[in-house]
Amino acid sequence: MQLKNVAQAKLPTPWGEFTIVGFEELATGKDHVAMVFGDITKQQSVLTRVHSECLTGDALFSLRCDCGFQLEAALKHIAQAGSGILLYHRQEGRNIGLLNKIRAYALQDTGLDTVQANHQLGFAADERDFTICADMLTLLDVKVIRLLTNNPEKIRVLEQAGIKITERVPLEVGENPNNEHYLQTKAEKMGHLLHLHAINNDYD
Ligand SMILES: Nc1nc2c(ncn2[C@@H]2O[C@H](COP(=O)(O)OP(=O)(O)OP(=O)(O)O)[C@@H](O)[C@H]2O)c(=O)[nH]1
Ligand SMILES: [Zn+2]
């Protein structure tokens, strides 16, 4: 176990009242949070979103990616379902950090794609560690989930960490002209399961 459970409180949102649970990494002191809605103990398989931090998309309305749209859609979806969990996984920029993500954006402005930009900066395409998310679920006493994602890597790592995933629930929102190339690269180079209508129509 890499985490400890530190504190929890009510967190009202436009879609209903969640409970926010705060965790701390034992080794580094880094914090992560879970947003829990409804009675998750009664569910055989808990609707769950693993959302990696994206300050620009989640808080600053960026259209370069789909993160802000996915965050809002996931919280709405969980509230509508009556119960579920959003894990807010604080590994910004696929864990290269905010400032390196801005460096990667600058390289993308010169024509590199998101994978090439990470490589140019000396990072792997994706530096995230989803075992932290499995640990949050374990501390919430959740072992079986339905996962809101288009990313097969999240499924692979969570299952390897002992979480049973009964279903993948797609989360395709926020496609726009600014993120078409970004989403296309995720589909082509990172194995994301996406149906990019605008892109297929334009370039196929
Ligand atoms: N390095 C880098 N990170 C980016 C870039 N654009 C977005 N990100 C980060 O990518 C991550 C996206 O996280 P998620 O939405 O949880 O996951 P995902 O891998 O896209 O998979 P889904 O579950 O299908 O949404 C966030 O940490 C963003 O900050 C980029 O161009 N470069
Ligand atoms: Zn983003």
Side-chain angles (χ1 to χ4, degrees), residues 7-50:
Q8 72 176 57
K10 292 176 185 174
L11 201 78
T13 73
W15 311 289
E17 185 173 288
F18 286 72
T19 298
I20 186 165
V21 185
F23 303 93
E24 187 174 270
E25 287 185 30
L26 302 173
T28 62
K30 173 112 189 163
D31 45 53
H32 302 270
V33 298
M35 298 269 284
V36 179
F37 191 86
D39 188 354
I40 53 171
T41 62
K42 292 217 174 86
Q43 302 301 312
Q44 284 184 343
S45 180
V46 180
L47 183 63
T48 301
R49 168 69 180 159
V50 167

Side-chain angles (χ1 to χ4, degrees), residues 51-58 62 64-68 92 101 105 182:
H51 184 91
S52 299
E53 180 170 6
C54 177
L55 181 81
T56 45
D58 298 343
S62 169
R64 288 192 82 124
C65 58
D66 52 349
C67 302
E92 167 65 64
K101 187 176 78 173
Y105 280 165
Y182 167 74

Side-chain angles (χ1 to χ4, degrees), residues 133-147:
C133 302
D135 282 353
M136 282 194 266
L137 290 171
T138 301
L139 289 176
L140 293 169
D141 205 22
V142 170
K143 298 176 183 68
V144 185
I145 64 171
R146 291 183 291 137
L147 187 63

Side-chain angles (χ1 to χ4, degrees), residues 67-132:
C67 302
F69 301 97
Q70 287 186 315
L71 179 60
E72 182 170 339
L75 290 171
K76 274 187 194 163
H77 193 123
I78 288 165
Q80 271 164 15
S83 68
I85 302 171
L86 180 134
L87 300 175
Y88 196 83
H89 174 228
R90 301 204 58 207
Q91 296 195 348
E92 167 65 64
R94 293 194 213 110
N95 211 16
I96 67 174
L98 177 62
L99 299 182
N100 283 322
K101 187 176 78 173
I102 296 171
R103 289 188 178 103
Y105 280 165
L107 291 169
Q108 288 170 58
D109 288 343
T110 70
L112 271 62
D113 68 33
T114 173
V115 171
Q116 291 164 341
N118 259 36
H119 289 160
Q120 175 104 358
L121 292 169
F123 298 109
D126 193 341
E127 297 261 348
R128 285 175 291 180
D129 176 4
F130 294 115
T131 65
I132 294 280

